[in-house]
């Protein structure tokens, strides 16, 4: 455990230059006292870790010291070839770069581990697009990826209700259920701030004034998670009251949005004498709820609103007549 932590400490200093004891402690999830002891152990082992005093001080490696990639276990080596997304990388025009990087990693691995790429590829495969979607990448994805990598300001034409033009600082690309999204910062038009655009609705990309200064504090995964949660909350704007059997509660996540199923499970009351629970279920609309809850059959009973309950009752009556 400590040996792995010492290696991680060296790799952090190698990658980031100077780091304080507090920063190292936070990254390694240990106390600052433990960091002090680890630095002393590294120095005793001949690793040139130097402590700089003062306001901008911290620990750093002296003289461009580098450690080589020789401490990988087989599991770590195989995991390297699962960490990338070769399909999406190819869509962005990075297939050659990914291939070259994998060859360099293979060359650096110890001989017994050089089958790691083949072993990982034989056992795991990511198929990102949905079943019924177009698996081909959007035509302008590669151009947008170049702008993202180069921090290049671009002007895009975007097809919404009507086609609009936006000057965008492209911060990142996100692949969700086979659909690519561009996250861009807009300074004028569209309300300003960061905005999300479906790449397959972008009809043109043109240079627009050189490079932009990226906000290094911008957190792409955090932004996407917040936007996704806000979208779900805005979409599931209504609530209905339902009574679910144990099987219905288990199957609910297959019938409705996972977020709605979690909310319903969290708010469920105690089981009644029949083992059923009553809860509130967030829904997009009563029409959508009707279609979704039919999948649960007799495992769900709608209590409110009355019009949805009446509609479910009428459908149940017609089904009974068909199967009588």
């Amino acid at each position: 455990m400590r040996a792995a932590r010492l290696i991680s400490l060296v790799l952090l200093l190698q990658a980031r230059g100077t780091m304080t004891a507090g920063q190292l402690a936070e990254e390694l999830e240990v106390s600052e006292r433990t960091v002090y002891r680890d630095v002393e152990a590294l120095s005793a082992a001949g690793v040139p870790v130097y402590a700089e005093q003062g306001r901008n001080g911290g620990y750093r490696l002296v003289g461009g010291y580098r450690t080589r990639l020789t401490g990988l276990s087989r599991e770590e080596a195989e995991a390297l070839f699962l960490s990338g997304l070769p399909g999406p990388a190819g869509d962005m025009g990075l297939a050659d770069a990914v291939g070259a990087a994998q060859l360099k990693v293979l060359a650096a691995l110890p001989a017994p581990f050089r089958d790691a790429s083949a072993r990982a590829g034989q056992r795991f495969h990511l198929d990102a697009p949905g079943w019924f979607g177009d698996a081909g990448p959007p035509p302008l994805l590669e151009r947008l990826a170049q702008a993202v990598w180069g921090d290049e300001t671009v002007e895009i034409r975007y097809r919404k209700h009507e086609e609009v033009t936006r000057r965008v600082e492209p911060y990142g690309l996100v692949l969700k259920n086979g659909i690519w999204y561009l996250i861009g910062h807009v300074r004028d038009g569209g309300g300003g701030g960061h905005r999300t655009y479906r790449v397959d609705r972008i009809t043109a990309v043109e240079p627009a004034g050189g490079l932009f200064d990226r906000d290094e504090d911008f957190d792409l995964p955090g932004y996407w998670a917040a936007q996704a949660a806000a979208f779900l909350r805005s979409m599931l704007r209504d609530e209905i009251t339902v009574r679910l059997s144990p099987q219905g509660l288990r199957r609910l996540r297959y019938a409705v949005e996972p977020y709605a199923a979690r909310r319903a499970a969290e708010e469920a009351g105690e089981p009644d004498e029949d083992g059923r629970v009553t809860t509130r279920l967030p829904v997009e609309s009563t029409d959508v709820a009707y279609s979704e809850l039919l999948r649960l059959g007799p495992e769900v009973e709608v209590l409110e609103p009355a019009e949805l309950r009446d509609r479910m009752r009428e459908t149940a009556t017609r089904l009974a007549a068909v199967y009588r």
Side-chain angles (χ1 to χ4, degrees):
M1 179 68 179
R2 190 188 185 197
R5 189 175 69 241
L6 292 174
I7 293 171
S8 296
L9 193 155
V10 173
L11 291 175
L12 282 169
L13 294 178
Q14 182 173 303
R16 302 187 188 180
T18 302
M19 295 182 69
T20 66
Q23 290 170 333
L24 287 166
E26 183 176 354
E27 288 285 347
L28 299 171
E29 298 182 347
V30 296
S31 68
E32 290 188 27
R33 185 180 296 276
T34 298
V35 170
Y36 299 145
R37 288 198 297 265
D38 287 350
V39 168
E40 290 178 3
L42 288 170
S43 297
V47 178
V49 181
Y50 175 72
E52 291 183 329
Q53 305 298 320
R55 181 177 178 182
N56 297 318
Y59 292 107
R60 66 180 178 86
L61 297 173
V62 179
Y65 176 87
R66 309 286 291 178
T67 183
R68 294 187 177 183
L69 188 66
T70 56
L72 289 175
S73 67
R74 169 169 287 279
E75 290 78 9
E76 291 167 337
E78 291 172 352
L80 279 175
F81 295 96
L82 293 177
S83 61
L85 302 174
D91 292 346
M92 292 187 289
L94 299 174
D96 291 343
V98 170
Q102 288 186 342
L103 286 175
K104 290 178 180 179
V105 172
L106 284 172
L109 288 173
F113 296 168
R114 288 179 186 164
D115 63 342
S117 176
R119 281 173 54 86
Q122 289 168 351
R123 287 161 174 78
F124 301 99
H125 173 67
L126 173 65
D127 184 9
W131 279 107
F132 304 108
D134 182 3
L140 294 173
L141 176 62
E142 185 172 341
R143 175 67 183 91
L144 287 168
Q146 293 171 355
V148 168
W149 280 114
D151 294 341
E152 175 192 358
T153 303
V154 293
E155 184 176 88
I156 65 170
R157 286 206 300 274
Y158 187 69
R159 187 178 67 254
K160 209 172 179 182
H161 304 300
E162 57 185 18
E163 195 166 79
V164 297
T165 301
R166 294 284 182 264
R167 182 187 172 99
V168 175
E169 298 170 349
Y171 267 67
L173 290 161
V174 175
L175 178 62
K176 171 72 172 178
N177 289 345
I179 299 175
W180 284 95
Y181 296 88
L182 172 71
I183 311 302
H185 185 260
V186 180
R187 295 191 181 277
D188 53 358
H194 288 95
R195 293 289 180 268
T196 303
Y197 303 93
R198 272 185 63 149
V199 173
D200 59 3
R201 293 179 183 170
I202 296 175
T203 60
V205 181
E206 300 293 341
L211 308 182
F212 65 92
D213 293 325
R214 176 178 290 267
D215 179 4
E216 297 300 334
D217 292 331
F218 178 73
D219 176 12
L220 180 60
Y223 171 85
W224 180 258
Q227 291 297 302
F231 172 75
L232 275 177
R233 288 193 297 269
S234 66
M235 184 179 71
L236 304 176
R237 56 187 179 274
D238 291 335
E239 279 192 344
I240 63 174
T241 303
V242 294
R243 187 167 169 259
L244 292 157
S245 69
Q247 185 177 0
L249 188 60
R250 287 193 300 271
R251 290 171 49 194
L252 187 62
R253 63 192 179 100
Y254 301 112
V256 303
E257 286 288 340
Y259 167 80
R262 287 196 303 271
R263 281 276 307 277
E266 291 167 359
E267 298 184 14
E270 293 296 321
D272 60 21
E273 56 196 23
D274 297 322
R276 292 182 172 243
V277 295
T278 299
T279 188
R280 300 286 292 173
L281 176 67
V283 297
E284 183 176 350
S285 67
T286 54
D287 283 341
V288 172
Y290 168 78
S291 299
E292 291 176 337
L293 295 182
L294 282 178
R295 304 173 192 173
L296 298 180
E299 308 305 327
V300 62
E301 177 188 0
V302 173
L303 302 180
E304 293 178 347
E307 58 269 24
L308 179 57
R309 179 178 175 84
D310 292 342
R311 190 174 178 185
M312 297 290 285
R313 180 193 298 113
E314 178 187 353
T315 299
T317 301
R318 291 167 56 197
L319 279 171
V322 168
Y323 287 101
R324 183 173 296 130

